[in-house]
Amino acid sequence: MTNPVLSLENVNAGYGETQVLRNLSLEIGAGEVVSLVGRNGAGKTTTLRTILGIITPTSGTVAYRDEDISAIEATETVRRGIALVPEERRIFPELTVRENLELAALGGADSGNALSLEEVLGMFENLAERTENSGSSLSGGEQQMLAIARALVGGAELILLDEPTEGLAPFIVQDVMDIVRQLNDRGITVLLVEQNVHVGLELADRNYVINQGEIVYEGTSAELEADEDILEQYLGVTN
Ligand SMILES: Nc1ncnc2c1ncn2[C@@H]1O[C@H](COP(=O)(O)OP(=O)(O)OP(=O)(O)O)[C@@H](O)[C@H]1O
Ligand SMILES: [Mg+2]
């Protein structure tokens, strides 16, 4: 790739003595949607934490817009335009939808890329109808939408989504997928972590498969879809 927005090169990282990521390399181009799929415990969340700077690699480099961010803390990577929407959809349950968004607009990136509250509410119909409701009154799908909306008003240019469809009813999964497409239409780059390979295959330009902290496969969705061995061996998908 000539000019990736994000690149990880031979990254080793983990928790204390426990190594999780092993010589992990991946690249994402501007405006791409890339999926990182793998089973439970494969190292997907650890990869996202390492990109954001919650974990510092023991060796290897993480580069964002040609700058080495391997040793930079999360507060600074967020300021530079990276946002993580974690598995647990961190929102403020006691605050209203509007307050959640207003707070997110105060923090976030220096990118100049921030969407206004009105723009974001235009994208998320179900949030627009509930601006004065508390975060805790939202359904799981709506909380997921709010977590993504917070990244947008914060001006994120690269959004890391950690299993955004996990535990959601099928029709809400479709809504979340539509939102990911809309993000991409707005030029936002997306790294999508999924256990559900079908969501990755449908949304992503390219896919990486991770197993025991190592990238074991990289390919377009058409290529991965046709590779039954990889699907079966690493993702437990059988036909
Ligand atoms: N805080 C932690 N301290 C020690 N080990 C951890 C910690 N968090 C995760 N691990 C270990 O790191 C490995 C990778 O975990 P990670 O959360 O990255 O996997 P994952 O692919 O996101 O899995 P899941 O699909 O269940 O979310 C696992 O073996 C896990 O037990
Ligand atoms: Mg995880």
mmCIF file of all heavy atoms in Angstrom, residues 182-209:
data_model
loop_
_atom_site.group_PDB
_atom_site.id
_atom_site.type_symbol
_atom_site.label_atom_id
_atom_site.label_comp_id
_atom_site.label_asym_id
_atom_site.label_seq_id
_atom_site.Cartn_x
_atom_site.Cartn_y
_atom_site.Cartn_z
ATOM 1 N N GLN A 182 -22.495 4.549 6.101
ATOM 2 C CA GLN A 182 -22.593 6.020 6.062
ATOM 3 C C GLN A 182 -21.300 6.690 6.530
ATOM 4 O O GLN A 182 -20.900 7.715 5.987
ATOM 5 C CB GLN A 182 -23.744 6.506 6.951
ATOM 6 C CG GLN A 182 -25.112 6.280 6.343
ATOM 7 C CD GLN A 182 -26.183 6.976 7.168
ATOM 8 O OE1 GLN A 182 -26.094 8.168 7.463
ATOM 9 N NE2 GLN A 182 -27.191 6.239 7.572
ATOM 10 N N LEU A 183 -20.674 6.103 7.546
ATOM 11 C CA LEU A 183 -19.390 6.647 8.014
ATOM 12 C C LEU A 183 -18.406 6.639 6.864
ATOM 13 O O LEU A 183 -17.698 7.618 6.608
ATOM 14 C CB LEU A 183 -18.783 5.771 9.126
ATOM 15 C CG LEU A 183 -19.537 5.569 10.410
ATOM 16 C CD1 LEU A 183 -18.677 4.788 11.393
ATOM 17 C CD2 LEU A 183 -19.913 6.903 10.991
ATOM 18 N N ASN A 184 -18.377 5.507 6.176
ATOM 19 C CA ASN A 184 -17.445 5.344 5.083
ATOM 20 C C ASN A 184 -17.741 6.323 3.953
ATOM 21 O O ASN A 184 -16.822 6.902 3.359
ATOM 22 C CB ASN A 184 -17.511 3.895 4.606
ATOM 23 C CG ASN A 184 -16.354 3.548 3.719
ATOM 24 O OD1 ASN A 184 -16.528 3.065 2.628
ATOM 25 N ND2 ASN A 184 -15.154 3.839 4.175
ATOM 26 N N ASP A 185 -19.024 6.566 3.672
ATOM 27 C CA ASP A 185 -19.397 7.549 2.650
ATOM 28 C C ASP A 185 -18.888 8.937 3.018
ATOM 29 O O ASP A 185 -18.660 9.772 2.148
ATOM 30 C CB ASP A 185 -20.921 7.614 2.488
ATOM 31 C CG ASP A 185 -21.470 6.362 1.822
ATOM 32 O OD1 ASP A 185 -20.673 5.607 1.219
ATOM 33 O OD2 ASP A 185 -22.690 6.125 1.913
ATOM 34 N N ARG A 186 -18.752 9.187 4.307
ATOM 35 C CA ARG A 186 -18.247 10.489 4.753
ATOM 36 C C ARG A 186 -16.727 10.544 4.790
ATOM 37 O O ARG A 186 -16.145 11.499 5.304
ATOM 38 C CB ARG A 186 -18.791 10.824 6.139
ATOM 39 C CG ARG A 186 -20.255 11.176 6.123
ATOM 40 C CD ARG A 186 -20.744 11.509 7.505
ATOM 41 N NE ARG A 186 -22.126 11.943 7.472
ATOM 42 C CZ ARG A 186 -22.501 13.220 7.383
ATOM 43 N NH1 ARG A 186 -21.607 14.186 7.343
ATOM 44 N NH2 ARG A 186 -23.777 13.537 7.332
ATOM 45 N N GLY A 187 -16.094 9.494 4.304
ATOM 46 C CA GLY A 187 -14.634 9.491 4.217
ATOM 47 C C GLY A 187 -13.929 9.041 5.483
ATOM 48 O O GLY A 187 -12.709 9.156 5.591
ATOM 49 N N ILE A 188 -14.707 8.535 6.439
ATOM 50 C CA ILE A 188 -14.091 8.067 7.673
ATOM 51 C C ILE A 188 -13.560 6.650 7.457
ATOM 52 O O ILE A 188 -14.204 5.826 6.823
ATOM 53 C CB ILE A 188 -15.120 8.112 8.827
ATOM 54 C CG1 ILE A 188 -15.453 9.580 9.120
ATOM 55 C CG2 ILE A 188 -14.606 7.393 10.067
ATOM 56 C CD1 ILE A 188 -16.632 9.779 10.028
ATOM 57 N N THR A 189 -12.366 6.418 7.952
ATOM 58 C CA THR A 189 -11.731 5.114 7.842
ATOM 59 C C THR A 189 -12.180 4.259 9.028
ATOM 60 O O THR A 189 -12.291 4.764 10.142
ATOM 61 C CB THR A 189 -10.195 5.295 7.847
ATOM 62 O OG1 THR A 189 -9.851 6.234 6.826
ATOM 63 C CG2 THR A 189 -9.471 3.990 7.592
ATOM 64 N N VAL A 190 -12.459 2.993 8.761
ATOM 65 C CA VAL A 190 -13.030 2.143 9.814
ATOM 66 C C VAL A 190 -12.232 0.846 9.945
ATOM 67 O O VAL A 190 -11.982 0.159 8.959
ATOM 68 C CB VAL A 190 -14.507 1.788 9.500
ATOM 69 C CG1 VAL A 190 -15.082 0.859 10.569
ATOM 70 C CG2 VAL A 190 -15.367 3.042 9.376
ATOM 71 N N LEU A 191 -11.846 0.554 11.177
ATOM 72 C CA LEU A 191 -11.335 -0.778 11.491
ATOM 73 C C LEU A 191 -12.396 -1.471 12.334
ATOM 74 O O LEU A 191 -12.727 -1.026 13.435
ATOM 75 C CB LEU A 191 -9.999 -0.711 12.242
ATOM 76 C CG LEU A 191 -9.415 -2.078 12.671
ATOM 77 C CD1 LEU A 191 -9.225 -3.022 11.491
ATOM 78 C CD2 LEU A 191 -8.084 -1.880 13.405
ATOM 79 N N LEU A 192 -12.931 -2.527 11.777
ATOM 80 C CA LEU A 192 -14.088 -3.201 12.346
ATOM 81 C C LEU A 192 -13.657 -4.549 12.895
ATOM 82 O O LEU A 192 -13.204 -5.411 12.146
ATOM 83 C CB LEU A 192 -15.110 -3.401 11.211
ATOM 84 C CG LEU A 192 -16.327 -4.243 11.457
ATOM 85 C CD1 LEU A 192 -17.260 -3.545 12.437
ATOM 86 C CD2 LEU A 192 -17.053 -4.502 10.139
ATOM 87 N N VAL A 193 -13.783 -4.713 14.205
ATOM 88 C CA VAL A 193 -13.478 -5.999 14.825
ATOM 89 C C VAL A 193 -14.765 -6.794 14.964
ATOM 90 O O VAL A 193 -15.774 -6.264 15.412
ATOM 91 C CB VAL A 193 -12.830 -5.771 16.209
ATOM 92 C CG1 VAL A 193 -13.045 -6.962 17.125
ATOM 93 C CG2 VAL A 193 -11.345 -5.491 16.050
ATOM 94 N N GLU A 194 -14.724 -8.032 14.539
ATOM 95 C CA GLU A 194 -15.932 -8.858 14.607
ATOM 96 C C GLU A 194 -15.588 -10.303 14.901
ATOM 97 O O GLU A 194 -14.596 -10.835 14.417
ATOM 98 C CB GLU A 194 -16.707 -8.799 13.271
ATOM 99 C CG GLU A 194 -17.699 -7.650 13.165
ATOM 100 C CD GLU A 194 -18.894 -7.778 14.103
ATOM 101 O OE1 GLU A 194 -19.158 -8.880 14.591
ATOM 102 O OE2 GLU A 194 -19.559 -6.745 14.345
ATOM 103 N N GLN A 195 -16.433 -10.957 15.692
ATOM 104 C CA GLN A 195 -16.414 -12.418 15.751
ATOM 105 C C GLN A 195 -17.307 -12.945 14.643
ATOM 106 O O GLN A 195 -17.124 -14.052 14.152
ATOM 107 C CB GLN A 195 -16.973 -12.894 17.098
ATOM 108 C CG GLN A 195 -15.906 -13.149 18.130
ATOM 109 C CD GLN A 195 -16.470 -13.864 19.343
ATOM 110 O OE1 GLN A 195 -16.979 -14.976 19.255
ATOM 111 N NE2 GLN A 195 -16.376 -13.216 20.479
ATOM 112 N N ASN A 196 -18.295 -12.122 14.267
ATOM 113 C CA ASN A 196 -19.239 -12.492 13.218
ATOM 114 C C ASN A 196 -18.649 -12.147 11.852
ATOM 115 O O ASN A 196 -18.709 -11.007 11.391
ATOM 116 C CB ASN A 196 -20.550 -11.735 13.437
ATOM 117 C CG ASN A 196 -21.596 -12.095 12.404
ATOM 118 O OD1 ASN A 196 -21.300 -12.754 11.395
ATOM 119 N ND2 ASN A 196 -22.813 -11.669 12.656
ATOM 120 N N VAL A 197 -18.052 -13.150 11.215
ATOM 121 C CA VAL A 197 -17.335 -12.916 9.965
ATOM 122 C C VAL A 197 -18.265 -12.393 8.869
ATOM 123 O O VAL A 197 -17.850 -11.645 7.983
ATOM 124 C CB VAL A 197 -16.595 -14.194 9.494
ATOM 125 C CG1 VAL A 197 -17.569 -15.309 9.172
ATOM 126 C CG2 VAL A 197 -15.709 -13.907 8.302
ATOM 127 N N HIS A 198 -19.560 -12.723 8.965
ATOM 128 C CA HIS A 198 -20.486 -12.290 7.910
ATOM 129 C C HIS A 198 -20.621 -10.775 7.873
ATOM 130 O O HIS A 198 -20.754 -10.183 6.811
ATOM 131 C CB HIS A 198 -21.849 -12.962 8.100
ATOM 132 C CG HIS A 198 -21.736 -14.451 8.090
ATOM 133 N ND1 HIS A 198 -21.434 -15.148 6.953
ATOM 134 C CD2 HIS A 198 -21.809 -15.366 9.079
ATOM 135 C CE1 HIS A 198 -21.351 -16.444 7.235
ATOM 136 N NE2 HIS A 198 -21.573 -16.590 8.531
ATOM 137 N N VAL A 199 -20.593 -10.152 9.041
ATOM 138 C CA VAL A 199 -20.667 -8.692 9.089
ATOM 139 C C VAL A 199 -19.415 -8.098 8.440
ATOM 140 O O VAL A 199 -19.493 -7.181 7.621
ATOM 141 C CB VAL A 199 -20.815 -8.199 10.557
ATOM 142 C CG1 VAL A 199 -20.715 -6.687 10.632
ATOM 143 C CG2 VAL A 199 -22.143 -8.682 11.136
ATOM 144 N N GLY A 200 -18.269 -8.670 8.770
ATOM 145 C CA GLY A 200 -17.015 -8.213 8.158
ATOM 146 C C GLY A 200 -17.047 -8.378 6.648
ATOM 147 O O GLY A 200 -16.737 -7.448 5.902
ATOM 148 N N LEU A 201 -17.453 -9.556 6.206
ATOM 149 C CA LEU A 201 -17.460 -9.835 4.770
ATOM 150 C C LEU A 201 -18.363 -8.862 4.024
ATOM 151 O O LEU A 201 -18.063 -8.435 2.914
ATOM 152 C CB LEU A 201 -17.946 -11.265 4.510
ATOM 153 C CG LEU A 201 -16.956 -12.377 4.863
ATOM 154 C CD1 LEU A 201 -17.615 -13.745 4.704
ATOM 155 C CD2 LEU A 201 -15.711 -12.286 3.989
ATOM 156 N N GLU A 202 -19.474 -8.513 4.644
ATOM 157 C CA GLU A 202 -20.426 -7.651 3.955
ATOM 158 C C GLU A 202 -19.958 -6.196 3.903
ATOM 159 O O GLU A 202 -20.224 -5.490 2.939
ATOM 160 C CB GLU A 202 -21.796 -7.746 4.632
ATOM 161 C CG GLU A 202 -22.908 -7.508 3.643
ATOM 162 C CD GLU A 202 -24.250 -7.916 4.215
ATOM 163 O OE1 GLU A 202 -24.376 -9.069 4.674
ATOM 164 O OE2 GLU A 202 -25.151 -7.074 4.204
ATOM 165 N N LEU A 203 -19.256 -5.756 4.942
ATOM 166 C CA LEU A 203 -18.918 -4.331 5.028
ATOM 167 C C LEU A 203 -17.511 -3.982 4.552
ATOM 168 O O LEU A 203 -17.271 -2.866 4.112
ATOM 169 C CB LEU A 203 -19.037 -3.862 6.485
ATOM 170 C CG LEU A 203 -20.437 -3.752 7.070
ATOM 171 C CD1 LEU A 203 -20.339 -3.389 8.539
ATOM 172 C CD2 LEU A 203 -21.254 -2.705 6.315
ATOM 173 N N ALA A 204 -16.600 -4.932 4.671
ATOM 174 C CA ALA A 204 -15.191 -4.559 4.538
ATOM 175 C C ALA A 204 -14.673 -4.650 3.111
ATOM 176 O O ALA A 204 -15.134 -5.470 2.314
ATOM 177 C CB ALA A 204 -14.348 -5.446 5.450
ATOM 178 N N ASP A 205 -13.710 -3.776 2.811
ATOM 179 C CA ASP A 205 -12.959 -3.887 1.564
ATOM 180 C C ASP A 205 -11.985 -5.052 1.677
ATOM 181 O O ASP A 205 -11.824 -5.843 0.761
ATOM 182 C CB ASP A 205 -12.171 -2.591 1.312
ATOM 183 C CG ASP A 205 -13.088 -1.384 1.235
ATOM 184 O OD1 ASP A 205 -13.972 -1.389 0.376
ATOM 185 O OD2 ASP A 205 -12.922 -0.449 2.046
ATOM 186 N N ARG A 206 -11.312 -5.106 2.815
ATOM 187 C CA ARG A 206 -10.342 -6.177 3.065
ATOM 188 C C ARG A 206 -10.539 -6.709 4.471
ATOM 189 O O ARG A 206 -11.073 -6.024 5.337
ATOM 190 C CB ARG A 206 -8.912 -5.652 2.934
ATOM 191 C CG ARG A 206 -8.519 -5.322 1.499
ATOM 192 C CD ARG A 206 -7.065 -4.914 1.400
ATOM 193 N NE ARG A 206 -6.780 -3.777 2.267
ATOM 194 C CZ ARG A 206 -5.977 -3.824 3.307
ATOM 195 N NH1 ARG A 206 -5.354 -4.938 3.630
ATOM 196 N NH2 ARG A 206 -5.778 -2.746 4.023
ATOM 197 N N ASN A 207 -10.080 -7.929 4.654
ATOM 198 C CA ASN A 207 -10.241 -8.592 5.956
ATOM 199 C C ASN A 207 -8.911 -9.179 6.414
ATOM 200 O O ASN A 207 -8.167 -9.742 5.607
ATOM 201 C CB ASN A 207 -11.232 -9.753 5.834
ATOM 202 C CG ASN A 207 -12.561 -9.332 5.253
ATOM 203 O OD1 ASN A 207 -13.476 -8.975 5.975
ATOM 204 N ND2 ASN A 207 -12.663 -9.342 3.922
ATOM 205 N N TYR A 208 -8.664 -9.054 7.701
ATOM 206 C CA TYR A 208 -7.553 -9.776 8.313
ATOM 207 C C TYR A 208 -8.155 -10.795 9.277
ATOM 208 O O TYR A 208 -9.109 -10.484 9.997
ATOM 209 C CB TYR A 208 -6.666 -8.832 9.127
ATOM 210 C CG TYR A 208 -5.826 -7.886 8.295
ATOM 211 C CD1 TYR A 208 -6.299 -6.616 7.969
ATOM 212 C CD2 TYR A 208 -4.558 -8.260 7.851
ATOM 213 C CE1 TYR A 208 -5.529 -5.742 7.221
ATOM 214 C CE2 TYR A 208 -3.780 -7.385 7.094
ATOM 215 C CZ TYR A 208 -4.267 -6.128 6.783
ATOM 216 O OH TYR A 208 -3.502 -5.267 6.042
ATOM 217 N N VAL A 209 -7.567 -11.987 9.280
ATOM 218 C CA VAL A 209 -7.978 -13.002 10.252
ATOM 219 C C VAL A 209 -6.874 -13.117 11.288
ATOM 220 O O VAL A 209 -5.693 -13.251 10.940
ATOM 221 C CB VAL A 209 -8.223 -14.373 9.578
ATOM 222 C CG1 VAL A 209 -8.613 -15.414 10.618
ATOM 223 C CG2 VAL A 209 -9.306 -14.250 8.502
#
